[in-house]
Amino acid sequence: MSVESRLDVRSLHAAYASGALTPASLLRAIYDRMDADKAPAVWIARVELERALARARELGEFRAELPLFGIPFAVKDNVDVAGLPTTAACPAFSYLPKVSSPAVAALLRAGAICLGKLNLDQFATGLVGSRSPYGACQNVFDPGYLSGGSSSGSGVAVASHYVTFALGTDTAGSGRVPAALNNIVGLKPSVGLLSNEGMVPACASLDCLTVFASTVDDAALARRVMTGDTRPALPRPAKFKFATPSWLEFFGNQDSKVSWERAVRRLEQLGGEAGELDFAPFRELGDMLYGPFVVERLLGVGEFIEGHQNAVLPVTRNIILGGKKYSASDAFQAFQRLTTLRAQCVAALRSVDFMLLPTVPTHFTLAEEGADPATNDKLGIYTRFANFLGCPVLSVPADFRADGLPFGVSLLALPGEDRKLDALADAMHRLSDAGTGKLRHALPLELGSRPAPAQARLAVVGAHMRGLALNQQLQDVNARYVATVRTAPIYKFYVLPDTKPERPGMVQTKEGGTQIELELWDMSWEALGQFMAKVPAPLTIGSVHTEDGELVKGFLCESFAVQDARDISSFGGYRNYLANG
């Protein structure tokens, strides 16, 4: 596999498994490419090749159980990686962390190989990618244009095909703007989903870690690894409602407007029913970030800046120290208005399944940004409200404009609905034919057509649950307990007559259903076959819907068998029935 080959996880793992590629040979090719490109202003601290190769040797032979085995990644330099300095793009601020942030540590445990720390707008203050003493990161399609920030190095490293994915951070859009400007995916999770420990704060109450990747699949995989989520991907909805902003501004760029209209039509092609939301409260909410909330930046690094003013870029220093002009009265007024706007925005979002937005209105040149500081604000008009609401957002490539520059769009959902975005955002990306990154690689195998997972998952609702009479049957096939969850509210639950030991039966119903507690267990596919052979009639193994939309194999009962059975649905599960029935 040459260095110009795609770096997505599944392609790399397939190559590792076949013996066509090793992590060491991949690393050598990547480093040769970075050296040839000179990688201007992307890296603040790059891991030496020999150190990266030592990590590859430490991993040993390909191990399929490590989801990120041999996968190269890099980290924005305001997030700690043990043994690499954290500078936040300010050399005088530099310190050497002894431990990695929890997110980085999880990626390393999963087999990933860190190649270094990436450039950013100093102290994560900016959306432009040019506010760094290490130099301005260049847009991969035209060096005269902004790369986007503050996670500029993270976006450019992925778009240049140096790494499979990179960590960034996001307060006002920093995990999405560089993605849109460089034709890659930017995943911003719900605020609080990932730990911010080991991150230099910008606005601590709003900050979140983000993932840049070539595909939604890779970005979602990194998110799952960092959160420890073992659930399979949710299916793409066949029908859904989405809203677009009632107010749109492209700052005179007709090409961006045309690309946006194409993106809306594609989402309709995927089964979406379009509508509009009043964007005024969202705009006002986003604008609040540049009012009294600047005080939170002052709390984070203001003391350092006041003591090292000559070590900080004037634009960064002026923004952060500008927080000193706000009073406690200003802050409380802002919080009161924030409460009102949040309520309005959340109520609007609850009327639809998703919101679709342009990620950025248009591209701007370095010269335009230098002449007009308001360029930074313009880049964030569709992004900066999201963290006030805690919403997850996925920015994906959507089109290439007539001038050869990429155009990206964002799907946004309510807080906690991160997984709900994945399949639809992936489908939008594929339908666009934008490819990914600088080389516009065609996307690999579809998200929904991946090979069967190595483990089968089974939902049990009765005596096979932990500590109950038949659980040993699961232990005998080396099944592993995963989680206790509930079904969707579409089932009835019965005690079957004349069964010894007593067995419950669950039946799907069109009306009057409720949620039933169940346990999820993983086992090999061979073990599942052995287990299913022992399931007695009228019980059967079918498809069970969980409350969060997952579809798993699980115990059901044939409907004829419950005609004279006792309905125990009100207990909500077998354990509660045993304790109280």
Side-chain angles (χ1 to χ4, degrees), residues 11-66:
S11 295
L12 291 180
H13 276 196
Y16 292 153
S18 69
L21 184 71
T22 65
S25 58
L26 175 67
L27 289 171
R28 290 190 180 93
I30 288 173
Y31 275 69
D32 285 346
R33 178 168 189 173
M34 288 192 294
D35 290 341
D37 286 354
K38 306 299 183 187
V42 175
W43 301 93
I44 289 179
R46 200 175 87 179
V47 169
E48 293 182 356
L49 176 59
E50 285 308 313
R51 181 174 167 183
L53 291 173
R55 165 67 171 160
R57 289 192 295 271
E58 175 187 295
L59 290 172
E61 297 295 319
F62 176 64
R63 294 158 58 192
E65 74 272 15
L66 290 178

Side-chain angles (χ1 to χ4, degrees), residues 305-325:
I305 293 175
E306 290 214 279
H308 302 79
Q309 294 204 25
N310 292 332
V312 181
L313 296 177
V315 62
T316 308
R317 182 178 67 236
N318 293 340
I319 290 171
I320 295 176
L321 295 186
K324 297 170 71 174
K325 69 184 179 183

